[in-house]
Amino acid sequence: MFIELVDALRCPVPHEESWLVAAAVRMEARHIVEGTLGCPVCSAEYPVRDGVVDFRRAGGSIIAAQVSSDADLAMRLAALLNLADAQGFAVLLGEWGAQAHELASIVETPLVVVDPPLGIVGAPGVSVLRCDGDVPLAVGAARAVAIDDGSASRAASAVRATRAKGRVVAPVSVAVPSDVTELARDETMWVGERSALESPLITLHVRRST
Ligand SMILES: [Zn+2]
């Protein structure tokens, strides 16, 4: 887990939004390899083992199907997600995680890989999260996200974690969410842009004099 991305992680327990406090036992190249992330609100602790942060509470987890890494697909993904520089971070959900190491070899953008196929481990540039629910990231924290056709609520939470105008990429089997504007599609995937983040309604109170 890249130490600079810890600020973007959020406790998945439903309570007021809180960042997490990292305690590293072993670090390599500014990545926590072994350690713990603790929530100051509910005292939950999430272990980091082999660079993988484990947010699972129920024990279950979604393991994506094994797909092989593909240099051409990783190159397309880099272009569609618009990862032209090292700013921010991009999120790869599920099966897309199989492309993480190929993608990390061609872009400098840090990658957060959520519930990838087995065997995808953390490395410099690749931070791996395991969860059993929504993506534990702050709203609008990611610059771009590739969602899969696994859990719809997890995909929706990943879109919420994308900043306004951030790129969203998905296979054509996934419907374009209402908070995404489609930019282009081909026979295998579509790319869109995250709409402006909802802001709370402002009510104008007009005081009338009689
Ligand atoms: Zn908590």
Side-chain angles (χ1 to χ4, degrees), residues 68-84:
S68 46
S69 71
D70 174 334
D72 289 340
L73 181 56
M75 194 66 87
R76 277 184 78 203
L77 204 50
L80 293 175
L81 292 171
N82 197 21
L83 305 183

Side-chain angles (χ1 to χ4, degrees), residues 10-16 18-20 38-44 46:
R10 292 292 179 269
C11 181
V13 176
H15 57 57
E16 64 182 274
S18 175
W19 64 90
L20 300 170
C39 174
V41 176
C42 71
S43 303
Y46 305 104

Side-chain angles (χ1 to χ4, degrees), residues 77 93 95-96 146-150 168-176 185-191:
L77 204 50
L93 272 194
E95 276 184 25
W96 292 113
I147 58 178
D148 66 354
D149 55 6
V168 179
V169 170
V172 288
S173 54
V174 176
V176 180
R185 72 166 58 218
D186 64 13
E187 60 283 354
T188 59
M189 51 180 134
W190 55 257
V191 56

